[in-house]
Amino acid sequence: GAVVSQHPSRVICKSGTSVKIECRSLDFQATTMFWYRQFPKQSLMLMATSNEGSKATYEQGVEKDKFLINHASLTLSTLTVTSAHPEDSSFYICSARGDLTTDTQYFGPGTRLTVL
Amino acid sequence: AQSVTQPDIHITVSEGASLELRCNYSYGATPYLFWYVQSPGQGLQLLLKYFSGDTLVQGIKGFEAEFKRSQSSFNLRKPSVHWSDAAEYFCASRRSGTYKYIFGTGTRLKVLA
């Protein structure tokens, strides 16, 4: 149980375009979803927290207009990287927690974004 | 400020040898502590967690961790390492008053055949 999926696993896009990444909780209802960014050989950096049906809360230094987060249902959250630039290239990982999983976050497999 | 420290960036052990990965936390009350493993290009898999109770926690894949309040530590151990254990290991603590995690910087484990 407690499986989280992400789609796509890899995406390559041109500079200036937008990319949407989906995060789904497959077997539980995710009250809260988190989006992380991970640079090569580094730890995870929390970008934002989203609760179903409400606006996401962004961490300091994260541009909310560039990284649009939508948590429209209890099983789906999306991260849209708008007007992507090469410096946005990174590994993006989502995680989810539900009322039954309480304090434990379950992580998706990650999405590798490459902006040319 | 609340923090999680993993002092070892890299660790190399021979297959079959024992393993201990260190994790220290700074927090006044008892924190919620986690160990995750990340294989290359993959997401994080939960190995084990500690919230309260028995300070020796058993996890998946033969891992265990011991919470020691006096040392502010939550070290991960495995008695006999397998080549498939080579990965990045992250210690995390739940940030006080939120559901957010604070991650350590990770320890990269290399296993020699």
Side-chain angles (χ1 to χ4, degrees), chain A residues 41, chain B residues 8-12 40 87-89 106-110:
Chain A
K41 300 184 179 181
Chain B
D8 304 304
I9 298 174
H10 293 98
I11 282 188
T12 300
E88 186 92 20
Y89 291 80
T107 298
R108 185 169 297 275
L109 174 65
K110 183 177 180 180

Side-chain angles (χ1 to χ4, degrees), chain A residues 38 43 59 103-105 109, chain B residues 36 38 94 99-101 104:
Chain A
Q38 186 179 30
S43 189
E59 296 297 300
D103 296 291
T104 303
Q105 292 182 28
Chain B
Y36 286 86
Q38 183 182 33
R94 197 193 79 173
Y99 291 110
K100 300 178 184 179
Y101 282 7

Side-chain angles (χ1 to χ4, degrees), chain A residues 34 36 38 41-44 46 49 59 91 93 97 102-109, chain B residues 32 34 36 38 41-44 46 49 51 90 94-95 99-101 103-105 108:
Chain A
F34 304 86
Y36 296 84
Q38 186 179 30
K41 300 184 179 181
Q42 293 189 28
S43 189
L44 282 73
L46 179 65
T49 304
E59 296 297 300
F91 194 55
I93 305 177
R97 63 166 286 276
T102 57
D103 296 291
T104 303
Q105 292 182 28
Y106 293 89
F107 287 79
Chain B
Y32 289 11
F34 308 83
Y36 286 86
Q38 183 182 33
Q42 302 295 315
L44 276 65
L46 178 66
K49 59 187 176 184
F51 292 171
F90 291 98
R94 197 193 79 173
R95 198 178 296 180
Y99 291 110
K100 300 178 184 179
Y101 282 7
F103 280 93
T105 50
R108 185 169 297 275

